[in-house]
C-alpha cells in the first residue's frame, strides 16, 4: 500500500465525525509510484450546486440546532461526556484495498490521540490541547515530530467532543440557515457555522431525523493544493443514549475516490490518563498493547 494512501487515511480518521476534534495533522507524503493517467482521475462533477430540497418545514437555524441536539441524545447528556474512545477499521486504499485497525481517544478540552496499525507498526497523531505531534514509523522516522504551523492552527481551532452544533452559542459560534439540499436522496437543511475565531464550516442536517448527514471539514493540502473535505455520516446507533454514526465516508473535492471508516466499538467516558496525550515516544511492547485497537 502506498505511503500517501496511509497518510491520507490518518489525516481523516478524526475529521469524519461531527462530535470529535477535526484535525488534519498528519503530513501527506507523496507516493513514489507512478501517478495514474489523467483519464483515471477526472475532476469531480460535485462542484455543481445541488438542487434545493423540497417539502421541509420552515425552521430557524436555532430551532434546527435544538432539534439536532435532542436527536443526538440531548444537551445534558453531551455536556456529561468528558472522554470518548472509538475503534474500528479505516479504508486506507491503495492498489489492493486495505483496511487498517485504528483507535481514537479524545478528552476535554481538545485532547486527542489516534493510533493506526500498519504492517506491524503503530502510527500516532497526538494533540494535548495546545501542542501536537506525529509519529510515523512507516516512513522510517524514529522520533515524534511537532505539528507544522498549519497543523497547529487547525488543531487549535478544532471542534470539541460534541461537534460544531451542540452548545454552539456557549462556544461563541453563530449558526445560520443557508437553505435546503438533497443529500444522498434525503432532504437536508444546510447550516453555516461560524466559530468564535471566524472559521466557517457547513453542516447538513437531515430534515426527518435531525441527525447530521454531511459535514464539511477543514480544507486539506493534497499534492500541493488545498482541497475541500466533506464527510458523509451513516448508520447511526445508540450508545449510552447518544447517537453515533458507525459508518462514514470522506472525500476530497477534485480527488478521485474516498475513504470509509467503520466503527466496531465506542466507549463513552472511559478512564483516559492525560499521559496518553503527551509527546509520543517509540512504543514499547507494553505501550503498544495499551494503545492497539482491540476487537469489539
Amino acid at each position: 500500500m502506498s505511503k500517501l494512501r496511509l497518510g491520507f487515511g490518518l489525516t481523516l480518521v478524526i475529521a469524519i465525525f461531527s462530535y470529535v476534534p477535526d484535525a488534519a495533522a498528519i503530513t501527506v507524503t507523496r507516493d513514489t509510484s507512478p501517478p495514474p493517467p489523467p483519464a483515471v482521475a477526472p475532476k469531480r462533477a460535485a462542484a455543481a450546486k445541488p438542487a434545493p430540497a423540497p417539502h421541509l418545514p420552515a425552521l430557524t437555524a436555532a430551532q434546527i440546532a435544538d432539534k439536532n441536539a435532542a436527536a443526538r441524545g440531548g444537551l445534558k447528556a453531551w455536556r456529561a461526556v468528558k472522554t470518548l474512545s472509538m475503534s474500528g477499521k479505516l479504508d486506507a486504499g491503495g492498489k489492493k484495498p486495505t483496511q487498517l485497525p485504528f483507535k481514537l481517544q479524545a478528552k476535554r478540552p481538545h485532547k486527542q490521540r489516534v493510533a493506526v496499525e500498519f504492517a506491524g507498526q503503530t502510527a500516532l497523531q497526538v494533540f494535548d490541547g495546545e501542542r501536537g505531534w506525529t509519529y510515523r514509523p512507516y516512513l522510517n522516522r524514529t522520533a515524534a515530530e511537532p505539528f507544522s504551523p498549519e497543523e497547529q492552527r487547525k488543531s487549535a481551532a478544532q471542534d470539541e467532543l460534541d461537534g460544531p452544533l451542540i452548545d454552539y452559542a456557549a462556544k461563541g459560534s453563530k449558526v445560520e440557515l443557508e437553505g435546503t439540499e438533497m443529500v444522498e436522496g434525503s432532504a437536508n437543511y444546510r447550516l453555516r457555522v461560524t466559530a468564535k475565531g471566524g472559521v466557517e464550516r457547513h453542516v447538513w442536517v437531515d430534515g426527518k431525523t435531525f441527525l447530521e448527514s454531511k459535514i464539511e471539514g477543514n480544507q486539506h493540502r493534497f499534492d500541493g493544493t488545498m482541497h475541500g473535505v466533506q464527510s458523509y455520516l451513516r448508520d447511526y446507533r445508540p450508545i449510552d443514549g447518544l447517537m453515533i454514526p458507525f459508518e462514514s465516508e470522506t472525500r476530497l473535492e477534485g480527488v478521485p475516490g474516498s475513504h470509509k471508516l467503520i466503527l466496531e466499538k465506542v466507549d463513552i467516558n472511559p478512564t483516559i490518563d492525560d499521559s496518553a496525550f503527551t509527546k509520543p515516544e517509540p512504543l514499547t511492547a507494553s505501550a503498544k498493547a495499551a494503545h492497539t485497537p482491540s476487537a469489539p
Side-chain angles (χ1 to χ4, degrees):
M1 183 184 63
S2 77
K3 294 174 182 177
L4 182 148
R5 289 285 185 176
L6 176 59
F8 178 47
L10 281 165
T11 64
L12 301 177
V13 168
I14 306 169
I16 61 177
F17 296 109
S18 62
Y19 45 80
V20 293
D22 173 25
I26 299 290
T27 303
V28 174
T29 305
R30 177 178 290 278
D31 191 1
T32 56
S33 59
V40 178
K43 285 190 175 182
R44 292 178 57 212
K49 187 176 180 179
H55 310 306
L56 280 181
L59 298 174
T60 66
Q63 289 173 326
I64 296 166
D66 287 345
K67 287 180 176 292
N68 168 259
R72 289 178 55 194
L75 281 176
K76 183 178 179 180
W78 276 104
R79 286 169 177 168
V81 177
K82 305 303 180 185
T83 62
L84 188 65
S85 176
M86 302 177 175
S87 59
K89 300 286 179 63
L90 76 93
D91 176 11
K95 296 178 181 178
K96 191 174 183 180
T98 303
Q99 288 189 319
L100 303 178
F102 78 92
K103 182 174 184 178
L104 179 146
Q105 297 167 294
K107 184 176 184 178
R108 296 185 194 269
H110 295 302
K111 295 180 174 67
Q112 62 149 50
R113 177 189 182 99
V114 60
V116 178
E117 294 296 308
F118 171 59
Q121 298 175 312
T122 303
L124 298 172
Q125 172 178 293
V126 178
F127 186 65
D128 68 2
E130 295 181 357
R131 298 171 298 167
W133 302 270
T134 58
Y135 175 59
R136 299 172 288 181
Y138 64 94
L139 295 179
N140 295 320
R141 298 184 180 181
T142 58
E145 301 167 283
F147 281 6
S148 69
E150 180 179 334
E151 293 163 350
Q152 187 72 27
R153 176 183 57 80
K154 287 181 177 180
S155 295
Q158 67 193 6
D159 293 326
E160 195 47 275
L161 280 172
D162 40 26
L165 291 182
I166 296 286
D167 252 355
Y168 71 90
K171 298 171 184 174
S173 298
K174 181 173 66 173
V175 177
E176 301 168 273
L177 175 62
E178 290 191 325
T180 61
E181 289 181 8
M182 297 298 293
V183 177
E184 299 190 319
S186 297
N188 277 246
Y189 297 98
R190 173 180 163 131
L191 301 177
R192 178 171 61 198
V193 182
T194 305
K196 181 170 58 177
V199 176
E200 292 185 357
R201 301 173 66 190
H202 292 94
V203 178
W204 288 258
V205 176
D206 188 282
K208 290 184 179 179
T209 67
F210 286 94
L211 298 170
E212 294 97 333
S213 62
K214 180 180 173 183
I215 188 165
E216 185 178 66
N218 290 319
Q219 285 198 335
H220 177 66
R221 186 178 301 280
F222 181 86
D223 213 13
T225 305
M226 298 302 291
H227 296 263
V229 178
Q230 296 177 340
S231 295
Y232 295 78
L233 310 178
R234 312 178 185 116
D235 190 18
Y236 278 86
R237 304 180 194 177
I239 301 293
D240 294 345
L242 303 179
M243 294 301 289
I244 308 293
F246 270 62
E247 178 182 327
S248 310
E249 182 177 358
T250 300
R251 304 168 186 168
L252 286 184
E253 291 183 352
V255 177
S258 63
H259 282 67
K260 284 188 178 182
L261 183 149
I262 304 296
L263 287 182
E264 297 173 341
K265 184 178 181 181
V266 176
D267 290 317
I268 306 295
N269 283 327
T271 300
I272 305 177
D273 193 89
D274 284 343
S275 62
F277 308 100
T278 56
K279 180 180 177 180
E281 298 295 337
L283 293 185
T284 62
S286 59
K288 181 178 178 180
H291 295 289
T292 297
S294 57

